[in-house]
Amino acid sequence: MKWVASVVNRGFRRVERSADRVIGCAGPLFIAIYVGLVGAGVWAFFACVFPSLVTIPAALVRVWYLQSPVHVVLGLPMALYDSVMQQPYAMIQCVLVTLGCFYIASMMAWSYYMACMEPPGSVSEGMTEKLNERRYGPGSDVWWRHKCRQVSYAMLESVSDAEDTSLVEAAIPYTDKSQSGLGAKGHQRVNRPGHPRFRYCKKCPQVTMTEAILRLPPELRQIEKRNRRNHLLRLKQQEAHQTDVAHLHSNLAPELFVEVDDESETDVRAWLGEDQNNFVFAPKPERAHHCKTCKMCVLKFDHHCPWINQCVGLGNERYFILFMLWFALGTGIFGLTGYHLAYKALWEYSWPFIYTPRVVFIMLYTIAVVMGIAVLILAVWHLYLVASGETSVESQDNAHYRSMAKERKEQFINVYDMGWARNLQIFFNTGRGLDYGFYTLLLPRRIEPYSDGWHFAKNPKLSGSHSGISREEEFTDDEGDDFLAVS
């Protein structure tokens, strides 16, 4: 399956590169192609294939084969009335099948629209504003605590366990007294379960120290504040040759001694002092990667997809998988139910469908079958990755880690692997202890991801890091050398 998915993926990428060379930007072209082909395919299905699936009342058949579309529209109300009165059971069957087909077509359209329009989530801007994010400022501590609690519930095995507050706090502690710094050098690295890790991206434009601090979750901001406070106190003590810490407080910014989780930009600037406008590398959380096409770091980056003209990441990965599944289902139904018509269009002389030329139907049917098989293969492969707790990028990295661990006669274990069933539940944010029910998979509804992009559910037995590989051996996506490992 991996080899087949790889072949299909390489084929799509060759088409993307060819389109890039021709028009300079393949994304909008791919979207236009998809919308046009799906629209034409839906028309061909309802105009040609649908009449063979159910017994259509005679009144509707007579109206459908009128020569003028205007006459079809004008005669439709009376035809519907005659069908209900003369062939009620056939009409009920026709309505039910029609609603089912329209439901599948609408879910195809909705999931694709969400995959295209919902941002994947970036380190600089977070997720979409429609999710009411508040990453800093008054009230932000409530949002962060809610997301951390969601991650805690995802890590716990049952709702009854999650009801124990101590277990929840133990799974993802919101604050920590450990010290490790962002801007200062020489600070000791710490490794605490539950806390997020991050590195520095050298590919993104440098940002001010204030912006870098505001991108961090509150617990890492407090760690940086304590580091800065203790560092300045040590310097003051060395200069004054005294140990009266209380006396030294008056010479430092008072904001350094106030630990709150909902600091605003003004508060951060106050305790940063003269360093607030210094430029540093932008922080990048774990599972984020820099996209060379979008030129930004994407949260839980999977890959850049030209068919949706953006990256697949934390914010839209759910809709991307659903889009592929609904597309494969729709094209599969079209392929199975339209086979006899495709055969008729190729080998028989008569063709009764006046609104759909046989050449157009053959072309649409062929494209639907080929694209449906290709997308189904990719959908199954991505579901396998989701069940394994991996993204496309992490799958390639973890394969290398497994070979490295095997050479040392060790076993590599992915820290994000919670078991295939729980991985699927966490990915779709449905199921035991999570925010939504399984029925939401069948509804056109916006579902926010369980994670905030910094905190992720991890196997509690692995102490927050992969087994069989050291932190220094992990691929870094060309980040800076210094990093903070607080996980």
Side-chain angles (χ1 to χ4, degrees):
M1 176 59 70
K2 182 177 180 180
W3 178 82
V4 177
S6 166
V7 171
V8 173
N9 187 51
R10 284 198 299 268
F12 279 129
R13 291 193 178 278
R14 288 176 181 174
V15 175
E16 175 190 0
R17 287 193 292 267
S18 299
D20 278 333
R21 286 193 294 266
V22 174
I23 65 174
C25 184
L29 175 63
F30 279 22
I31 292 178
I33 292 175
Y34 172 82
V35 173
L37 289 178
V38 171
V42 170
W43 167 262
F45 175 81
F46 280 102
C48 303
V49 181
F50 180 78
S52 65
L53 296 180
V54 295
T55 301
I56 301 178
L60 290 178
V61 174
R62 289 194 299 268
V63 170
W64 180 251
Y65 284 104
L66 293 176
Q67 294 296 326
S68 172
V70 177
H71 292 160
V72 173
V73 174
L74 294 177
L76 186 60
M78 184 57 66
L80 291 173
Y81 176 78
D82 293 340
S83 300
V84 172
M85 300 303 296
Q86 298 173 6
Q87 296 176 277
Y89 295 107
M91 189 62 185
I92 292 175
Q93 181 189 22
C94 183
V95 169
L96 292 178
V97 175
T98 301
L99 291 177
C101 294
F102 269 111
Y103 168 73
I104 295 175
S106 63
M107 290 301 296
M108 287 174 55
W110 175 82
S111 58
Y112 183 71
Y113 173 82
M114 294 297 291
C116 293
M117 301 304 297
E118 201 75 2
S122 66
V123 179
S124 58
E125 299 179 2
M127 313 290 279
T128 175
E129 297 179 355
K130 298 178 181 178
L131 298 181
N132 297 320
E133 284 189 333
R134 184 176 289 272
R135 294 183 177 262
Y136 62 88
S140 59
D141 59 329
V142 177
W143 184 82
W144 281 104
R145 289 182 186 276
H146 171 67
K147 301 305 291 187
C148 287
R149 189 167 292 271
Q150 283 185 310
V151 176
S152 302
Y153 282 130
M155 292 176 62
L156 298 176
E157 295 183 356
S158 65
V159 178
S160 60
D161 292 334
E163 291 173 353
D164 188 349
T165 306
S166 62
L167 290 177
V168 173
E169 296 300 329
I172 298 288
Y174 191 73
T175 57
D176 184 24
K177 302 302 181 184
S178 304
Q179 296 182 4
S180 185
L182 174 69
K185 296 182 179 180
H187 291 122
Q188 182 181 4
R189 298 172 183 173
V190 298
N191 187 19
R192 294 286 180 146
H195 279 299
R197 302 180 299 180
F198 73 88
R199 301 177 186 265
Y200 300 102
C201 182
K202 297 174 66 176
K203 298 178 181 179
C204 288
Q206 292 190 354
V207 297
T208 63
M209 179 68 76
T210 302
E211 186 176 353
I213 293 295
L214 291 175
R215 292 183 183 182
L216 300 177
E219 66 267 39
L220 297 186
R221 290 187 219 144
Q222 296 306 319
I223 291 174
E224 175 62 25
K225 180 187 286 189
R226 288 194 292 270
N227 283 343
R228 185 171 296 272
R229 179 179 62 209
N230 295 336
H231 178 68
L232 292 177
L233 285 174
R234 286 195 298 269
L235 292 179
K236 290 289 185 179
Q237 291 173 2
Q238 293 174 3
E239 292 176 358
H241 300 286
Q242 59 181 343
T243 58
D244 187 4
V245 178
H247 174 70
L248 297 175
H249 287 188
S250 59
N251 298 326
L252 301 176
E255 290 80 6
L256 279 172
F257 300 90
V258 180
E259 295 193 5
V260 293
D261 293 328
D262 58 349
E263 293 179 313
S264 64
E265 181 178 352
T266 303
D267 297 330
V268 173
R269 288 184 178 276
W271 59 263
L272 282 177
E274 298 178 353
D275 295 335
Q276 60 181 286
N277 293 322
N278 292 347
F279 283 90
V280 296
F281 289 122
K284 181 178 68 174
E286 54 187 316
R287 312 194 79 174
H289 288 271
H290 186 90
C291 176
K292 62 181 181 181
T293 303
C294 299
K295 295 180 174 56
M296 66 178 183
C297 285
V298 178
L299 299 175
K300 198 186 175 186
F301 176 81
D302 189 279
H303 68 285
H304 183 87
C305 179
W307 288 101
I308 63 174
N309 196 31
Q310 64 174 349
C311 291
V312 177
L314 180 64
N316 63 349
E317 59 182 359
R318 183 184 198 271
Y319 309 113
F320 181 75
I321 296 290
L322 290 177
F323 148 66
M324 290 194 294
L325 293 175
W326 284 112
F327 182 85
L329 177 61
T331 53
I333 293 175
F334 186 23
L336 292 175
T337 58
Y339 172 77
H340 68 288
L341 287 179
Y343 180 86
K344 182 176 183 178
L346 284 172
W347 303 108
E348 295 185 10
Y349 178 78
S350 62
W351 182 254
F353 306 104
I354 58 177
Y355 296 117
T356 308
R358 72 169 67 207
V359 175
V360 174
F361 181 84
I362 294 174
M363 180 188 68
L364 292 175
Y365 181 83
T366 304
I367 294 175
V369 171
V370 173
M371 292 292 292
I373 294 175
V375 172
L376 177 62
I377 293 173
L378 291 179
V380 172
W381 172 245
H382 276 83
L383 281 178
Y384 171 77
L385 294 180
V386 171
S388 303
E390 299 175 333
T391 63
S392 297
V393 174
E394 291 170 350
S395 174
Q396 300 175 14
D397 295 346
N398 292 347
H400 180 72
Y401 299 155
R402 289 187 183 93
S403 63
M404 292 179 59
K406 187 176 181 180
E407 292 176 356
R408 296 194 294 259
K409 297 183 179 181
E410 298 179 2
Q411 182 183 9
F412 171 79
I413 302 178
N414 178 18
V415 71
Y416 305 111
D417 188 1
M418 308 288 290
W420 69 269
R422 193 57 175 168
N423 289 337
L424 290 170
Q425 293 176 6
I426 291 173
F427 178 85
F428 290 107
N429 199 10
T430 57
R432 186 181 65 246
L434 297 169
D435 283 352
Y436 304 95
F438 292 106
Y439 66 91
T440 57
L441 296 173
L442 304 176
L443 297 178
R445 181 179 175 184
R446 174 181 280 107
I447 303 297
E448 66 175 298
Y450 85 100
S451 172
D452 52 41
W454 288 83
H455 306 87
F456 293 94
K458 300 178 180 179
N459 190 331
K461 299 179 182 179
L462 299 182
S463 300
S465 59
H466 298 304
S467 174
I469 196 80
S470 66
R471 171 72 171 173
E472 288 73 17
E473 292 175 320
E474 294 182 16
F475 293 136
T476 60
D477 193 32
D478 193 21
E479 296 106 341
D481 296 330
D482 296 329
F483 60 86
L484 175 68
V486 194
S487 181

